[in-house]
Amino acid sequence: MAHVQKKTGRTGRRPGKTRTPEAILRSAREAFASNGYDGTSIRQIATGAGVDPALVHHHFGTKEELFLKAIEAPIQPEAMMDDIFAADVEAVPERVVRTFLGVCEGPVSGPALLGLLRGAMAHQWQAALLRELFYTQIARRLVHRLGEAVDPEEVPFRASLVSSQLFGLAMSRYALRLQPLADAPRERVIAIVAPTIRRYVLEELGTGEDDAP
Amino acid sequence: MAHVQKKTGRTGRRPGKTRTPEAILRSAREAFASNGYDGTSIRQIATGAGVDPALVHHHFGTKEELFLKAIEAPIQPEAMMDDIFAADVEAVPERVVRTFLGVCEGPVSGPALLGLLRGAMAHQWQAALLRELFYTQIARRLVHRLGEAVDPEEVPFRASLVSSQLFGLAMSRYALRLQPLADAPRERVIAIVAPTIRRYVLEELGTGEDDAP
């Protein structure tokens, strides 16, 4: 909105020094979407933005911090995991839903999350960024934390199943506002959805006919 | 795309007779989004399009047929229900997932469904149309067909829970392409998701603290 309020409306002016963070974010988004999180270096992003790598660190800190800024992630994955795993692993499913609803219903994080999902539905490059968030910031951490309770090799599949329920919940309850789900009390939604998350996280997954002996 | 190929590129030309179906669809979308399916009449839509009601019926048949055209619904709700309820009610959860994946993976219906979800995430009026599809074409039919197996009053809530899982599945597997879910065999996905749908459709729903005596 800032440019709307500018007094000098001259167009085509080259970005000055104050635009450096913007240029870095733009370069970071392109790099992360094209090469993935692991395949992207701060040096690459700096080159893309035409600045020194030190300036990238100065403005954004670590690669992980820059990534979360670049996709405007409404979560701090490490802190979120700390919340979810603060109690016994048996409590994880219920805490996952509670934490997720907390993000959805936050005055800042809620619109940000819906914006992220909306953008990822509309643009391939935003979908690529959301996938990177999922794999590198969430699934990878889950393998680390959940790998003692279930087969670590199954964790990414379990995580994508959990996402299928949580993203759909965000979409139906907050974006489409399907009733009565949209206005159901938060505790009721947690009580109903937590067993689904429990199955996806901790219980045996059905296998379908393809694994018949 | 048709207008790109036109030889006479004059702009601002008033719509001729051939544009009547377009005008009717536009008027229908506005009316359904503003007043809901039940609150909209063919007469209203005709007035909005500046045509005779008989012409609306001539081009689009019944109000229901016009509604499904107007929102570009990739499903025929009545036929879909016939498929889902063709066997015993115990088979309904598995048939729901199978039918939904069939729509998602159809070469025409798949992109149409994703387009519908995408549009509803991006535009309030498209969300309103999708809600109308849900309430009048799906939830209402479900009450009729499922009301003997479970409390009819609970059916709309059960339907919105089912949607939360199915929409999220469409989003994660087909739009975001989260792995390994995106490439998991269809039968495995059905085996894993059907028990979730079973809980939402047929089993006792958790209630949360709000119904403590």
Side-chain angles (χ1 to χ4, degrees):
Chain A
M1 299 299 282
H3 62 279
V4 175
Q5 301 171 329
K6 265 198 311 188
K7 284 203 183 117
T8 56
R10 187 175 299 194
T11 56
R13 189 178 164 190
R14 292 195 55 202
K17 277 184 181 171
T18 55
R19 302 286 182 82
T20 294
E22 245 176 65
I24 293 170
L25 285 175
R26 199 162 44 235
S27 170
R29 285 184 191 116
E30 284 174 14
F32 286 130
S34 306
N35 311 319
Y37 180 81
D38 293 333
T40 297
S41 67
I42 292 284
R43 174 170 299 274
Q44 260 177 285
I45 293 169
T47 303
V51 303
D52 191 86
L55 210 54
V56 177
H57 287 296
H58 168 73
H59 281 293
F60 294 100
T62 65
K63 183 166 98 169
E64 182 175 319
E65 287 169 321
L66 172 55
F67 176 71
L68 294 174
K69 281 269 174 45
I71 80 162
E72 294 172 23
I75 54 167
Q76 292 294 332
E78 188 64 34
M80 222 174 68
M81 292 292 161
D82 286 343
D83 278 354
I84 290 172
F85 287 89
D88 191 74
V89 71
E90 285 300 309
V92 161
E94 189 263 346
R95 294 178 80 95
V96 164
V97 185
R98 186 174 299 280
T99 302
F100 184 76
L101 291 188
V103 173
C104 287
E105 293 175 9
V108 175
S109 57
L113 179 72
L114 284 181
L116 192 63
L117 294 179
R118 195 173 279 133
M121 289 286 282
H123 304 288
Q124 279 305 312
W125 68 270
Q126 289 187 43
L129 288 179
L130 187 54
R131 278 197 298 272
E132 285 302 306
L133 177 75
F134 173 80
Y135 297 130
T136 65
Q137 308 293 315
I138 297 175
R140 196 176 286 178
R141 283 189 165 89
L142 277 176
V143 170
H144 181 68
R145 304 223 189 193
L146 204 60
E148 293 191 5
V150 295
D151 180 353
E153 289 208 349
E154 274 190 340
V155 172
F157 191 38
R158 291 178 181 278
S160 60
L161 289 167
V162 168
S163 298
S164 81
Q165 175 61 85
L166 295 184
F167 289 168
L169 185 60
M171 191 169 180
S172 303
R173 180 168 157 97
Y174 303 104
L176 301 181
R177 294 201 52 74
L178 285 186
Q179 293 297 358
L181 180 59
D183 287 338
R186 189 202 287 213
E187 292 303 322
R188 178 151 203 229
V189 175
I190 293 172
I192 292 173
V193 174
T196 298
I197 303 301
R198 169 170 299 278
R199 272 193 58 242
Y200 294 161
V201 172
L202 295 173
E203 293 172 14
E204 278 298 308
L205 298 171
T207 47
E209 66 186 10
D210 55 313
D211 74 334
Chain B
M1 299 300 283
H3 63 280
V4 174
Q5 301 174 327
K6 265 199 314 191
K7 284 206 182 115
T8 57
R10 189 175 297 194
T11 56
R13 189 177 164 191
R14 292 196 55 202
K17 276 184 182 174
T18 55
R19 301 287 183 80
T20 294
E22 244 174 64
I24 293 171
L25 285 176
R26 203 164 38 236
S27 171
R29 285 184 191 115
E30 284 174 15
F32 287 131
S34 306
N35 311 320
Y37 180 82
D38 292 333
T40 297
S41 67
I42 292 283
R43 175 168 298 276
Q44 261 176 283
I45 292 169
T47 304
V51 302
D52 192 85
L55 211 54
V56 177
H57 287 296
H58 168 73
H59 282 292
F60 295 101
T62 66
K63 183 166 96 167
E64 181 175 320
E65 287 168 321
L66 172 56
F67 175 71
L68 294 174
K69 280 271 173 47
I71 79 161
E72 295 172 21
I75 55 168
Q76 292 294 332
E78 188 64 34
M80 220 174 67
M81 293 292 162
D82 286 343
D83 277 353
I84 289 172
F85 287 89
D88 191 75
V89 71
E90 285 299 310
V92 161
E94 189 262 347
R95 295 178 80 96
V96 164
V97 185
R98 187 175 298 282
T99 302
F100 185 76
L101 291 188
V103 173
C104 286
E105 294 175 8
V108 175
S109 57
L113 178 73
L114 284 180
L116 192 64
L117 294 178
R118 195 173 281 132
M121 289 287 281
H123 304 289
Q124 280 304 312
W125 68 270
Q126 289 188 43
L129 289 178
L130 187 54
R131 277 197 298 272
E132 286 301 307
L133 177 75
F134 173 80
Y135 296 130
T136 63
Q137 306 294 316
I138 297 176
R140 195 176 286 176
R141 284 190 164 90
L142 277 176
V143 170
H144 181 68
R145 302 224 189 191
L146 203 60
E148 292 191 3
V150 296
D151 180 354
E153 290 209 348
E154 275 189 339
V155 171
F157 191 39
R158 291 177 181 278
S160 60
L161 288 167
V162 168
S163 297
S164 79
Q165 175 61 83
L166 296 184
F167 289 169
L169 185 60
M171 192 170 178
S172 303
R173 181 167 155 98
Y174 303 102
L176 301 182
R177 294 201 51 74
L178 284 185
Q179 295 297 358
L181 179 59
D183 287 337
R186 188 201 288 212
E187 291 304 323
R188 179 152 202 227
V189 175
I190 293 171
I192 291 173
V193 175
T196 298
I197 303 302
R198 169 169 300 277
R199 272 193 59 242
Y200 295 160
V201 172
L202 294 173
E203 294 174 12
E204 278 298 308
L205 297 172
T207 49
E209 65 187 12
D210 55 315
D211 72 336

